[in-house]
């Protein structure tokens, strides 16, 4: 018995940082995913172990399920239909389990993800032996929502074989969850994100679950239906950032210059509003795709200027901006800034030769580029391991 | 008989472009000047010619004064005490005089300046033979107010020998005009600027006349008294710009995104207000110079981000920003953008070695750097040609 779930990463199209100060942000899924394969052993192969293989980083862990059960004894482990936050005492017990793994220092960032896995697995599947294999097209910690995609993929694979989902096991190829199943899955993924991030916004897991785009303001998420295909070049500067320090820097600047920064956040709010309107616009005749793309480019350039005003740009980001500007392409940082990833809109009519050229030039600077379609499918599953 | 006037150039510290849309701008004089020497011939050397020598660009013109008088015949030439706009028919006549000079195509930009000179000369000094020699430390057309400094230097030299000024001819060294003399001089310089630019804001000639700094909003100029010395590295990218096209681009963006841009202009207005407050602050003990400089740097970075949001930056400007950022120095474009000049604050405690290094690196990119003190003297004159 095997199921594979895939969950997309996300980009912030507009409004990062300003969203913390009350502005609207727009986020979208990308067609780069994290994959979670859940395999239950045949009765004869049951060795009583829960295995977790992290293919991309070459780590493999296993626990006797009795060991996990023991660690969580005395804790009210929820059932699959009631997503519940991992209580403090469970966090402690799971932390001990993970400590015992002796994860190499360089890869210690994955520890919280393993804890999230253990909580989601125990809550949704109980204490059955199984093997879960993770692989991902998303670079870790670069602002593309890799941790949320991980939690959504976990939740997708785990719920697919639970009583809470009614999926057609005989279906060939990728399959969508029903709406209420997605709602449940999203809540579980959010509980996983909380173990990893403490106080996540919920944007990343929501985008990864439902796909497409969402508008986010003051804690309220609104799903958007995009009516235009969008393609972005995503350039990973490979410069690590300290998201907390960047967020704190913007807050400090806001304290120092309250009036100016309030106006800056208002400007970002207007930009996100315009962007959502353009993306949802159903009138393909009234405004051509090219015109829409030109507007989005202008809004991206404006948002980038405002992010520079907030002080979250970085020399590496500026290098990407300058390089893409040479090809008359508009770019903006996405996520926390200070390095991380930069988006460049690839207009529909742009020739593949230009994309190749700009990619080559960016990669010659030591950056890593990938082309992604924006606003596609959310989480999906596939039974039998055929895909 | 000889008098030399010197008139400083200017920089925009904050608010360029936004000022067109109602925000406050702050401008300041720099210690780079244009010099105008006015020499009346001894009676025996009177050849009936008015000569204009433009030393920096290697051009020299002369007209029989009777030819100028003839060209302006029928036109009500004002007297020195009543600054008057050059009437359309006089513009036509002066244009013909200037056309006859056959100014080389590459230097045709100076033609309007020559017309302004002829109008100011005739109005203030009538039709006397004389020689006027111009030299300047200000690059032409790079946004440092070279044309206004030219008009102010002309007006200063011409008014010094008029009945409208009562200066001590025996004074050695540079001499200041009185306040009411400066007001008159500024008005004349503005009339010259109108011949050159059509509809100048009046910022440039006002800064050049009075020196120090001014705050400008919706046509109202307020003189500021700076209470801190400021030094800037001014980097000329040597990239020519089309100011009108840049201004039009910002207006178009404002039409396309009215809400976002209104917020951007509000942010700039707040920044200019803060800057004026810091500069005028008389409490050296409350906030140290270093803290003030750090605040100004932050405001410069914010303003630059907002200018990028308006779409008036340029690859050459970004190169300057990136280069100075490596040395932890804050920069912003000054003036119209799209090339032109970039300001970098040189904090009081910055070592000369760093200044040399950053200058060398910028000049290796093909830029031209000059260090300038900000907010110094306005127009001054010196009799006898001793200085």
């Amino acid at each position: 018995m095997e199921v594979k779930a895939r969950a997309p990463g996300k980009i912030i199209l507009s409004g990062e940082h300003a969203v913390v100060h009350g502005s609207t942000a727009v986020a979208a899924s990308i067609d780069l995913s994290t994959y979670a394969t859940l395999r239950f052993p045949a009765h004869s192969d049951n060795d009583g172990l829960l295995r977790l293989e992290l293919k991309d980083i070459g780590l493999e862990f296993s626990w006797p399920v009795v060991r996990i059960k023991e660690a969580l004894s005395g804790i009210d482990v929820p059932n699959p239909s009631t997503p519940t936050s991992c209580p403090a005492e469970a966090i402690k017990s799971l932390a001990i389990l993970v400590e015992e793994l002796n994860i190499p220092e360089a890869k210690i960032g994955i520890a919280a993800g393993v804890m999230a896995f253990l909580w989601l697995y125990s809550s949704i599947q109980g204490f059955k032996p199984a093997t879960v294999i993770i692989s991902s097209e998303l670079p870790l910690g670069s602002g593309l929502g890799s941790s949320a995609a991980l939690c959504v993929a976990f939740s997708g694979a785990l719920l697919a074989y639970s009583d809470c989902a009614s999926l057609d096991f005989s279906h060939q190829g990728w399959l969508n969850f029903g709406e209420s199943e997605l709602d449940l899955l999203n809540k579980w993924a959010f509980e996983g994100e909380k173990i990893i991030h403490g106080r996540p916004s919920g944007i990343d897991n929501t985008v990864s679950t439902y796909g497409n785009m969402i508008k986010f303001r003051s804690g309220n998420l609104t799903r958007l239906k995009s009516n235009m295909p969008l393609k972005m070049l995503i350039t990973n500067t490979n410069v690590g950032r300290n998201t907390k320090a960047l967020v704190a820097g913007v807050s400090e600047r806001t304290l120092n210059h309250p009036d100016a920064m309030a106006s800056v956040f208002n400007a970002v709010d207007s930009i996100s509003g315009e962007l959502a309107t353009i993306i949802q616009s159903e009138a393909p005749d009234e405004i051509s795709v090219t015109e829409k793309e030109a507007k989005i480019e202008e809004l991206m350039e404006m948002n980038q200027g405002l992010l520079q005003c907030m002080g979250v740009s970085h020399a590496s980001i500026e290098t990407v901006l300058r390089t893409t500007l040479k090809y008359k392409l508009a770019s903006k940082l996405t996520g926390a800034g200070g390095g991380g990833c930069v988006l460049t809109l690839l207009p529909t009519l742009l020739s593949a030769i230009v994309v190749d050229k700009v990619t080559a030039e960016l990669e010659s600077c030591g950056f890593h580029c990938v082309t992604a379609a924006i606003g596609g499918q959310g989480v999906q599953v596939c039974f039998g391991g055929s895909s």
Side-chain angles (χ1 to χ4, degrees), chain A:
Chain A
M1 260 169 56
E2 180 177 316
V3 64
K4 190 176 199 170
R6 70 173 176 197
K10 71 97 200 7
I11 51 168
I12 304 280
L13 279 175
S14 68
E16 49 275 271
H17 285 291
V19 74
V20 178
H21 301 269
S23 303
T24 305
V26 176
S29 66
I30 55 179
D31 62 349
L32 300 171
S33 295
T34 293
Y35 298 83
T37 302
L38 168 64
R39 197 178 293 151
F40 289 115
H43 202 74
S44 55
D45 296 335
N46 187 346
D47 55 6
L49 293 179
L50 174 62
R51 286 189 178 78
L52 177 64
E53 293 178 25
L54 303 169
K55 281 202 153 181
D56 306 293
I57 53 174
L59 290 179
E60 200 176 325
F61 310 116
S62 67
W63 305 264
V65 289
V66 292
R67 181 80 184 81
I68 303 172
K69 194 170 185 174
E70 193 183 278
L72 295 176
S73 69
I75 287 156
D76 199 10
V77 177
N79 65 59
S81 62
T82 52
T84 310
S85 300
C86 187
E89 60 268 38
I91 296 257
K92 266 187 215 164
S93 306
L94 294 176
I96 292 166
L97 275 186
V98 171
E99 245 170 62
E100 291 169 2
L101 299 172
N102 291 317
I103 299 174
E105 193 58 35
K107 296 171 178 175
I108 198 70
I110 200 66
V114 176
M115 286 168 65
F117 164 70
L118 288 171
W119 179 248
L120 294 176
Y121 189 88
S122 312
S123 301
I124 301 173
Q125 287 292 340
F127 304 101
K128 294 177 216 164
T131 299
V132 175
I133 303 160
I134 296 295
S135 67
S136 185
E137 295 151 356
L138 294 164
L140 290 178
S142 58
L144 298 183
S146 58
S147 73
L150 184 71
C151 291
V152 171
F154 277 146
S155 305
L158 297 172
L159 283 169
Y161 274 135
S162 77
D163 294 340
C164 298
S166 53
L167 295 163
D168 175 8
F169 292 4
S170 69
H171 181 90
Q172 294 285 310
W174 294 105
L175 194 63
N176 293 321
F177 284 92
E179 272 295 310
S180 64
E181 291 166 354
L182 286 177
D183 295 345
L184 181 68
L185 192 164
N186 189 38
K187 282 178 188 154
W188 272 119
F190 185 60
E191 294 305 334
E193 275 276 84
K194 277 159 75 176
I195 295 173
I196 300 176
H197 288 301
R199 287 177 56 194
S201 67
I203 298 182
D204 291 14
N205 52 282
T206 303
V207 171
S208 186
T209 301
Y210 300 101
N212 223 314
M213 304 197 188
I214 61 158
K215 208 165 75 171
F216 179 86
R217 184 178 183 169
S218 307
N220 297 314
L221 299 177
T222 316
R223 285 163 64 188
L224 304 179
K225 203 180 143 15
S226 166
N227 277 294
M228 65 184 294
L230 272 183
K231 244 170 72 182
M232 295 274 179
L233 184 69
I234 302 177
T235 303
N236 189 345
T237 62
N238 301 316
V239 175
R241 23 323 86 80
N242 180 338
T243 300
K244 270 185 196 162
L246 288 159
V247 170
V250 176
S251 293
E252 198 190 330
R253 189 163 285 195
T254 305
L255 277 175
N256 288 340
H257 314 282
D259 293 345
M261 290 295 279
S263 298
V264 167
F265 297 141
N266 278 338
V268 174
D269 190 59
S270 301
I271 287 170
S272 290
E274 274 196 66
L275 199 63
T277 305
I278 294 169
I279 282 164
Q280 294 183 99
S281 153
E282 282 184 20
D285 296 338
E286 280 175 38
I287 317 177
S288 74
V289 171
T290 304
E291 271 176 80
K292 278 186 176 184
E293 285 170 347
K295 281 200 174 194
I296 293 172
E297 284 184 322
E298 198 165 52
L299 292 168
M300 284 171 67
E301 185 190 22
M302 290 169 70
N303 199 162
Q304 173 62 26
L306 294 165
L307 286 159
Q308 284 168 250
C309 181
M310 296 176 211
V312 296
S313 195
H314 183 269
S316 62
I317 296 171
E318 310 287 332
T319 302
V320 178
L321 295 179
R322 277 201 42 203
T323 306
T324 60
L325 195 64
K326 281 200 272 178
Y327 297 89
K328 300 196 189 310
L329 298 173
S331 302
K332 73 174 274 287
L333 68 84
T334 187
C341 287
V342 180
L343 304 177
T344 305
L345 184 73
L346 299 175
T348 318
L349 297 179
L350 189 70
S351 85
I353 298 163
V354 174
V355 179
D356 290 348
K357 269 193 182 173
V358 69
T359 301
E361 194 169 337
L362 287 166
E363 298 205 324
S364 77
C365 300
F367 305 140
H368 183 71
C369 295
V370 62
T371 299
I374 303 304
Q377 282 289 353
V379 63
Q380 292 182 305
V381 287
C382 175
F383 291 102
S386 60
S387 283

